[in-house]
Each structure stands twice: as C-alpha cells, then as structure tokens.
Amino acid sequence: MGETLRKRLRQERFQSPLHEAFLNLIVAANHVRDLGDAVMAGHGITASQYNVLRILRGASPEGHPRCEIAQRLLDRAPDVTRLIDRLEEKGLVVRDRSAQDRRHSLTRITAKGLRLLEKMEPEMAEAQRRFASRISVREARELSRICEQIYGDPG
C-alpha cells in the first residue's frame, strides 16, 4: 500500500498509516473533483454552480430559499447569494418572492438551466464511469461507509 502515493508525492515514508490515509484521501478527492471540474468548465460553470442547479432541479418547479440551498450544498459556500446572482446573470435560475413571507425569496431553475444540466448529463456520466472503472460496487459501498465514518456525527 502507498506506492502510488509515495511516487506521486516523491516521499519515501509517512508519519503513520493514518497520515498516509489522510493524504491519500486528499489526493483521491482532488482527482475525482478534477474529473467533474473539467466537464463543468467546458460548459462555463463552476462545481458550486452545478451543485446549485442540481439542487434546484430536484426542487422544481417550487424552488428553494437561499438558506435551504446553502444547507444542501456539497461544499459550504461562504456567499450563496453571490453564487445565485451569477447563475441568475446567466439565465439559469430566477428568484421570486415567497407567497407566504414576502421577506424571503425562492430560487427556481429555469428551462435554460434544465437544458444545461441535460446537455451535461452524458459527460458527467462518463466522468462517473471513469471513477467506477477503478473500483467495484463492493469497494464503492465500503468507501462510502468509511467516508461517512470520517465526516459523520461521532455519536
């Protein structure tokens, strides 16, 4: 174990198996992120913008308030308002005032946003296939279990 990481980092040994695992997780996460980022960049959006569009597609046609979008993001974005502003400028989302509480706005995905996601789907599926070609379903389940153990609630 660790030969690929040793070569990549040009490092002979690690402080401990936990340190090696920590570094491996960072390198693997960056590799997987790069697969998706290449697709998203080709369509002129960022990973965070893609994530918002996917969240809003799942809430279509009703949409979500900003705070709900923020809670559902894969990566915590410091300024969700600005993220939504950029998507709105591209015509991919719209904001409307909530009928229940006029102080809050709901963000909804537009037809243009839905078309973009549909257009990106085959390329994103290919990126996922590249990931899937490296591990079995059993390994994927074990990886998910371990990841949830790392970031989940300790209790």
Side-chain angles (χ1 to χ4, degrees):
M1 293 291 283
E3 191 59 32
T4 303
L5 184 64
R6 282 186 185 92
K7 285 180 183 177
R8 179 175 165 80
L9 300 181
R10 298 178 185 176
Q11 188 169 329
E12 287 300 313
R13 61 183 192 276
F14 301 97
Q15 295 169 359
S16 68
L18 290 173
H19 180 241
E20 182 178 351
F22 185 82
L23 294 175
N24 256 316
L25 187 58
I26 292 169
V27 171
N30 286 335
H31 174 75
V32 170
R33 183 179 302 263
D34 288 347
L35 291 174
D37 283 351
V39 173
M40 293 171 235
H43 291 275
I45 62 172
T46 66
S48 293
Q49 291 171 338
Y50 176 75
N51 191 202
V52 169
L53 291 174
R54 290 193 66 227
I55 290 166
L56 293 174
R57 177 176 59 188
S60 186
E62 291 83 16
H64 278 309
R66 182 181 40 82
C67 61
E68 182 70 21
I69 294 168
Q71 290 174 350
R72 291 172 179 253
L73 287 172
L74 293 173
D75 291 325
R76 298 295 175 223
D79 194 350
V80 176
T81 301
R82 200 168 310 170
L83 182 58
I84 293 169
D85 286 345
R86 289 188 185 109
L87 288 168
E88 192 172 36
E89 288 168 7
K90 294 174 188 245
L92 302 173
V93 303
V94 293
R95 280 184 274 207
D96 297 316
R97 291 279 172 215
S98 167
Q100 292 82 16
D101 186 345
R102 301 290 297 161
R103 294 173 296 170
H104 296 284
S105 66
L106 292 174
T107 303
R108 294 181 295 108
I109 192 167
T110 63
K112 182 178 178 181
L114 290 170
R115 284 192 305 273
L116 176 63
L117 288 178
E118 188 177 317
K119 184 177 178 183
M120 293 175 69
E121 239 169 65
E123 294 170 70
M124 291 303 289
E126 177 56 30
Q128 290 173 16
R129 274 192 292 281
R130 289 177 61 194
F131 168 75
S133 72
R134 305 242 177 172
I135 64 173
S136 68
V137 171
R138 183 185 60 73
E139 290 168 327
R141 286 188 180 117
E142 180 66 3
L143 177 59
S144 288
R145 185 194 65 75
I146 291 168
C147 287
E148 288 180 8
Q149 187 175 336
I150 291 169
Y151 69 78
D153 290 332

